[in-house]
Amino acid sequence: MNFIETRGNDGSHPLTVTFSEAILSPIASFGGLYVPETLPQLGREFLEKHQHSHYKELARDFLHVFDIDIDQSVIEEALACYDTFDDPKNPVPVIQVKEDLYVSELYHGPTRAFKDMALQPFGTVLSAIAKARNENYLILAATSGDTGPAALETFKNRENVKVACMYPAHGTSDVQRLQMVTEEAPNLKVIGIQGNFDDAQSALKNLLASSRFNAALKAKNVALSAANSVNFGRIIFQIIYHIHNYLELVRQGAVVLGEKVYLNVPSGNFGNVLGGFYAMQMGLPVEKLVIASNENNILTRFIHTGIYDMRESELILTTSPAMDILKSSNVERVLYALFGAERTRELMHDLDTQKVYRLRDAELEKLQTFFSADYCSDDEGKAYIKQAFKTGYLMDPHTATCFKTYETCKEKDLVMIAYSTAEWTKFSPTIANALTGEEDVQDRVALASISKEANVAIPPMIEALFSKKIVHTDSIAKESIEAEILAFL
Ligand SMILES: *Cc1c(COP(=O)(O)O)cnc(C)c1O
């Protein structure tokens, strides 16, 4: 399988690249992204064949069908990451919460958020390719809380890859911060930035644009890569669990093979739902992909009107911070799949220069055959958390947004799979507030009160954070970041 570019080719990039090349250098011509040249068709046989497969068997065969240039031994090592999940045989439990609503829990890995699903295997693959080529890579990450811990966890002590991770010093939950600052390995650097997530992100952008920084990297023989979901190396692992979930429904007798379902995904940068889109295009029986957002509702407006408009939008800080995003990078891959490279380049150019683009009527109609969308306010989310808890299901504020779209976006009488992207332990103050009304408590207090209220144990890796040694103590001004990272390298 080769990869091509969403915005066409500028003559200075190769016309096609391998999977390895696409993940080592994920930015393509004109600032575009890499996408597979064709999507293999799974067909009914593939689903039938895997009706009773374990997650890893399914994943192995899926990657085989995709035909990527990664050695089988590396793939095996990558998939072994799922053995560290709560239940190695079933790393992604699918739980029935209403007659026609099932929740796919994507958070049973080491950092208790869905980022592990893809970053865990991705870490093995990236490090193996870098090592085979005898090259060294630096991953720069700016995180609002979930990508940072998952990236550090997967890359710690890996060869040929270093990670420098920036987070807003006072902008994450206690658990998220502790997950980062207690992660000890010589190839990891964690920096608290004085400012908010936007400051962390703009610090990262400045670094990437700095010719002094890039020259220094070159002199040290280090290349830059990326671990965010513009990297197809993450997306590929995010197609698999959508297929697994469907087969789980078949196994549980909720659908018969071939019957269509809704996939209902809490979305930020659009990686998760893009995986569902690709699964659908590869033949998974999906009625529609439902996009759930928080009050940063740019995607809802886009799906309803065909206008992606960032002009008037200011980022709103919500209780589902992993979805506080205005520019959802992976939408571009959908534009490419539906409208081709030339049109994608045109639309993305409009977004870059005018902060807005508009689909034509026929284009919007096509988009709406795949997607529907709605958004959920913090107060609504809190009410859904409380309501679900009363009927026996404990969930986090990101997952809660899907309970709104379950009510507003399901037009047909079909089963819906909602995605749970974080464990309750990661956003405990919001959940405690929803359940007991207590306000502004620290994570430690909230964890204890939810544990008592819901009669669930705090998982050991979360409990242990509070007594672990803090190894990264830097909290620095934006101006000092460049020197700090170069010193680390
Ligand atoms: C990253 C994240 C999301 C958003 O996923 P995308 O793939 O970026 O759309 C939602 N919820 C949680 C908890 C996350 O960490």
Side-chain angles (χ1 to χ4, degrees), residues 114-115 146 266-272 322-323 398 421-422:
F114 111 96
K115 299 291 188 286
D146 279 336
S267 297
N269 213 23
F270 216 77
N272 196 353
M323 294 154 67
H398 301 79
T421 48

Side-chain angles (χ1 to χ4, degrees), residues 341-372:
E342 206 174 312
R343 182 66 174 144
T344 303
R345 186 170 151 205
E346 206 171 274
L347 294 169
M348 295 312 292
H349 178 77
D350 288 351
L351 190 67
D352 289 341
T353 54
Q354 297 156 38
K355 298 182 104 180
V356 59
Y357 64 76
R358 291 179 187 78
L359 298 186
R360 302 181 186 117
D361 288 349
E363 290 170 338
L364 174 60
E365 221 169 278
K366 190 167 180 190
L367 183 75
Q368 289 174 340
T369 62
F370 291 91
F371 296 97
S372 60

Side-chain angles (χ1 to χ4, degrees), residues 165-169 177 181 188-194 470-477 480-481 484-485 487-488:
C165 175
M166 291 165 262
Y167 70 97
R177 182 177 44 80
V181 297
L188 305 179
K189 176 83 181 169
V190 177
I191 305 171
I193 306 262
Q194 291 157 13
I470 292 180
V471 288
H472 304 275
T473 50
D474 304 323
S475 165
I476 59 179
S480 328
I481 293 167
E484 189 82 11
I485 294 179
F488 156 65

Side-chain angles (χ1 to χ4, degrees), residues 330-345:
N330 277 303
V331 172
E332 176 166 353
R333 288 186 160 118
V334 171
L335 297 180
Y336 172 82
L338 300 183
F339 314 127
E342 206 174 312
R343 182 66 174 144
T344 303
R345 186 170 151 205

